[in-house]
Every structure is written in structure tokens, then in C-alpha cells.
Coordinates of all heavy atoms in Angstrom, one line a residue:
N1 N 91.3 86.0 112.0 CA 92.5 86.8 112.4 C 92.8 87.8 111.3 O 93.1 89.0 111.6 CB 93.7 85.9 112.6 CG 93.5 84.9 113.7 OD1 93.2 85.3 114.8 ND2 93.7 83.6 113.4
C2 N 92.6 87.5 110.1 CA 92.9 88.4 109.0 C 91.6 88.5 108.0 O 91.2 87.5 107.4 CB 94.1 88.0 108.2 SG 94.5 89.0 106.8
F3 N 91.0 89.6 108.0 CA 89.8 89.9 107.2 C 90.1 90.9 106.1 O 90.5 92.0 106.3 CB 88.7 90.4 108.2 CG 87.4 90.8 107.6 CD1 87.1 90.4 106.3 CD2 86.5 91.5 108.3 CE1 85.8 90.7 105.7 CE2 85.3 91.8 107.8 CZ 84.9 91.4 106.5
V4 N 90.0 90.4 104.8 CA 90.3 91.3 103.7 C 89.0 91.8 103.1 O 88.0 91.0 102.8 CB 91.0 90.5 102.6 CG1 91.1 91.3 101.3 CG2 92.5 90.2 103.1
F5 N 88.9 93.1 103.0 CA 87.7 93.8 102.4 C 88.1 94.4 101.1 O 89.1 95.2 101.0 CB 87.2 94.8 103.3 CG 85.9 95.5 102.8 CD1 84.7 95.0 102.9 CD2 86.1 96.8 102.1 CE1 83.6 95.7 102.4 CE2 85.0 97.4 101.6 CZ 83.7 96.9 101.8
A6 N 87.4 94.1 100.0 CA 87.7 94.6 98.7 C 86.5 95.4 98.1 O 85.4 94.9 98.2 CB 88.1 93.5 97.7
C7 N 86.8 96.6 97.5 CA 85.8 97.3 96.8 C 86.5 98.3 95.9 O 87.7 98.3 95.8 CB 84.8 98.0 97.8 SG 85.5 99.4 98.6
D8 N 85.7 99.1 95.2 CA 86.3 100.1 94.3 C 86.4 101.5 94.9 O 86.8 102.4 94.3 CB 85.4 100.2 93.0 CG 84.0 100.5 93.3 OD1 83.7 100.9 94.4 OD2 83.2 100.4 92.3
Y9 N 86.1 101.6 96.2 CA 86.3 102.8 97.0 C 85.6 104.0 96.4 O 86.1 105.1 96.4 CB 87.8 103.1 97.2 CG 88.4 101.9 98.0 CD1 88.9 100.8 97.4 CD2 88.3 101.9 99.4 CE1 89.4 99.8 98.1 CE2 88.7 100.9 100.1 CZ 89.3 99.8 99.5 OH 89.7 98.7 100.2
K10 N 84.4 103.8 96.0 CA 83.4 104.8 95.7 C 82.5 105.0 96.9 O 82.3 104.1 97.7 CB 82.6 104.4 94.4 CG 83.5 104.3 93.2 CD 82.7 104.0 91.9 CE 83.6 103.9 90.7 NZ 82.8 103.5 89.5
P11 N 82.0 106.2 97.1 CA 81.2 106.5 98.3 C 80.1 105.6 98.7 O 79.8 105.4 99.8 CB 80.6 107.9 98.0 CG 81.6 108.5 97.0 CD 82.1 107.4 96.2
E12 N 79.5 105.0 97.7 CA 78.4 104.0 98.0 C 78.8 102.8 98.8 O 78.0 102.1 99.4 CB 77.7 103.5 96.7 CG 78.7 102.8 95.8 CD 78.1 102.4 94.4 OE1 76.9 102.7 94.2 OE2 78.8 101.8 93.6
N13 N 80.1 102.6 98.9 CA 80.6 101.4 99.6 C 80.9 101.7 101.1 O 81.4 100.8 101.8 CB 81.9 100.9 98.9 CG 81.6 100.3 97.6 OD1 80.9 99.3 97.5 ND2 82.1 100.9 96.5
L14 N 80.7 103.0 101.5 CA 81.0 103.3 102.9 C 80.3 102.5 103.9 O 80.9 102.1 104.9 CB 80.7 104.8 103.1 CG 81.8 105.8 102.5 CD1 81.3 107.2 102.5 CD2 83.1 105.7 103.3
P15 N 78.9 102.3 103.8 CA 78.2 101.5 104.8 C 78.8 100.1 104.9 O 78.9 99.6 106.0 CB 76.8 101.5 104.3 CG 76.7 102.7 103.4 CD 78.0 102.9 102.7
A16 N 79.1 99.5 103.8 CA 79.7 98.2 103.8 C 81.0 98.1 104.5 O 81.3 97.2 105.3 CB 79.9 97.6 102.4
L17 N 81.9 99.1 104.3 CA 83.2 99.1 105.0 C 83.0 99.3 106.5 O 83.7 98.7 107.3 CB 84.0 100.3 104.4 CG 85.3 100.5 105.2 CD1 86.2 99.2 105.2 CD2 86.1 101.6 104.6
K18 N 82.0 100.2 106.9 CA 81.8 100.4 108.3 C 81.4 99.1 109.0 O 81.8 98.8 110.1 CB 80.8 101.5 108.5 CG 81.4 102.9 108.2 CD 80.4 104.0 108.4 CE 81.1 105.4 108.1 NZ 80.1 106.5 108.3
K19 N 80.5 98.3 108.3 CA 80.0 97.1 108.9 C 81.2 96.1 109.0 O 81.3 95.3 109.9 CB 78.9 96.5 108.1 CG 77.6 97.3 108.2 CD 76.5 96.7 107.4 CE 75.2 97.5 107.6 NZ 74.1 96.9 106.8
A20 N 82.0 96.1 107.9 CA 83.1 95.2 107.9 C 84.1 95.5 109.1 O 84.6 94.6 109.8 CB 83.9 95.3 106.6
K21 N 84.3 96.8 109.3 CA 85.2 97.2 110.4 C 84.6 96.8 111.8 O 85.3 96.3 112.7 CB 85.3 98.7 110.4 CG 86.4 99.3 111.4 CD 86.6 100.7 111.1 CE 87.7 101.3 112.1 NZ 87.2 101.3 113.5
E22 N 83.3 96.9 111.9 CA 82.6 96.4 113.2 C 82.8 95.0 113.4 O 83.1 94.5 114.5 CB 81.1 96.8 113.1 CG 80.8 98.3 113.2 CD 79.4 98.6 113.0 OE1 78.6 97.6 112.8 OE2 79.0 99.8 113.0
I23 N 82.7 94.2 112.3 CA 82.9 92.7 112.5 C 84.3 92.4 112.8 O 84.6 91.5 113.7 CB 82.4 92.0 111.2 CG1 80.9 92.1 111.1 CG2 82.9 90.6 111.1 CD1 80.3 91.5 109.8
A24 N 85.2 93.0 112.1 CA 86.6 92.8 112.4 C 87.0 93.1 113.9 O 87.6 92.3 114.6 CB 87.5 93.6 111.5
E25 N 86.4 94.2 114.4 CA 86.7 94.6 115.8 C 86.1 93.6 116.7 O 86.6 93.3 117.8 CB 86.2 96.0 116.0 CG 87.0 97.1 115.3 CD 86.4 98.5 115.5 OE1 85.2 98.5 115.9 OE2 87.1 99.4 115.1
S26 N 84.9 93.1 116.4 CA 84.2 92.2 117.3 C 85.0 90.8 117.4 O 84.9 90.1 118.5 CB 82.8 91.9 116.8 OG 82.8 91.1 115.7
F27 N 85.7 90.5 116.4 CA 86.5 89.3 116.4 C 88.0 89.5 116.9 O 88.8 88.6 117.0 CB 86.5 88.6 115.1 CG 85.3 87.8 114.8 CD1 84.2 88.4 114.2 CD2 85.3 86.4 115.1 CE1 83.1 87.6 113.9 CE2 84.2 85.7 114.8 CZ 83.1 86.2 114.2
G28 N 88.3 90.8 117.0 CA 89.7 91.1 117.3 C 90.6 90.8 116.1 O 91.8 90.5 116.3
A29 N 90.1 90.9 114.9 CA 90.8 90.6 113.7 C 91.4 91.8 113.1 O 90.9 92.9 113.3 CB 89.9 89.9 112.7
E30 N 92.4 91.6 112.3 CA 93.0 92.7 111.5 C 92.2 92.8 110.2 O 92.0 91.9 109.5 CB 94.5 92.3 111.1 CG 95.2 93.4 110.3 CD 96.6 93.0 109.8 OE1 97.0 91.8 110.2 OE2 97.2 93.7 109.2
L31 N 91.8 94.1 109.9 CA 91.1 94.4 108.7 C 92.0 94.9 107.7 O 92.6 96.0 107.9 CB 89.9 95.4 109.0 CG 89.1 95.8 107.8 CD1 88.3 94.6 107.2 CD2 88.1 96.9 108.1
Q32 N 92.2 94.2 106.6 CA 93.1 94.7 105.5 C 92.2 95.1 104.3 O 91.5 94.3 103.8 CB 94.0 93.5 105.1 CG 95.0 93.2 106.2 CD 96.3 92.6 105.7 OE1 96.6 92.7 104.5 NE2 97.1 92.1 106.6
L33 N 92.4 96.3 103.9 CA 91.6 96.8 102.8 C 92.5 96.8 101.5 O 93.7 97.0 101.6 CB 91.2 98.3 103.0 CG 90.5 98.6 104.3 CD1 90.1 100.0 104.4 CD2 89.3 97.7 104.5
V34 N 91.9 96.4 100.4 CA 92.6 96.3 99.2 C 91.9 96.9 98.0 O 90.6 96.7 97.9 CB 93.0 94.8 98.9 CG1 91.8 93.9 98.7 CG2 94.0 94.7 97.7
Y35 N 92.6 97.5 97.1 CA 92.0 98.0 95.9 C 92.8 97.2 94.8 O 94.0 97.3 94.7 CB 92.2 99.5 95.7 CG 91.8 100.0 94.3 CD1 90.5 100.2 94.0 CD2 92.8 100.2 93.3 CE1 90.1 100.6 92.7 CE2 92.4 100.6 92.0 CZ 91.1 100.8 91.7 OH 90.7 101.2 90.5
I36 N 92.0 96.5 93.9 CA 92.7 95.8 92.8 C 92.7 96.6 91.6 O 91.7 97.0 91.0 CB 91.9 94.5 92.6 CG1 91.7 93.7 93.9 CG2 92.7 93.6 91.5 CD1 93.0 93.3 94.6
N37 N 93.9 96.9 91.2 CA 94.1 97.7 90.0 C 94.5 96.8 88.8 O 95.4 96.0 88.9 CB 95.3 98.7 90.2 CG 95.2 99.9 89.3 OD1 94.2 100.2 88.7 ND2 96.4 100.6 89.1
T38 N 93.7 97.0 87.7 CA 93.8 96.1 86.6 C 94.1 96.8 85.3 O 93.7 98.0 85.2 CB 92.6 95.2 86.4 OG1 91.5 96.1 86.2 CG2 92.3 94.4 87.6
P39 N 94.6 96.2 84.2 CA 94.8 96.9 82.9 C 93.4 97.1 82.3 O 92.4 96.6 82.7 CB 95.6 95.8 82.1 CG 96.1 94.8 83.1 CD 95.2 94.8 84.2
G40 N 93.4 98.0 81.3 CA 92.2 98.2 80.6 C 91.4 99.5 81.0 O 92.0 100.4 81.6
D41 N 90.1 99.5 80.8 CA 89.3 100.7 81.1 C 89.3 101.1 82.5 O 89.1 102.3 82.9 CB 87.9 100.5 80.6 CG 87.8 100.4 79.1 OD1 88.8 100.8 78.4 OD2 86.9 99.8 78.5

């Protein structure tokens, strides 16, 4: 029902996101995208 996809949102991750979206749609699931922001570099 709820599918979380995490990445750093650089262009190389586009194919992975598109596949994740296809899977979410095939299950009728909500796709939630998240960027994790952390301290440091």
C-alpha cells in the first residue's frame, strides 16, 4: 500500500525511480519519495 523510494536525486537514479513508479502503479500503491538530509559533508 505504501512504497518508499530513497535516493540522492542525482540524474543517474532516474531509471530506478521510473521502475519503482511502475511497480507502485501495478500494485495500486502510494509511492512516497524521500530525501534524507544529514549533518556533515
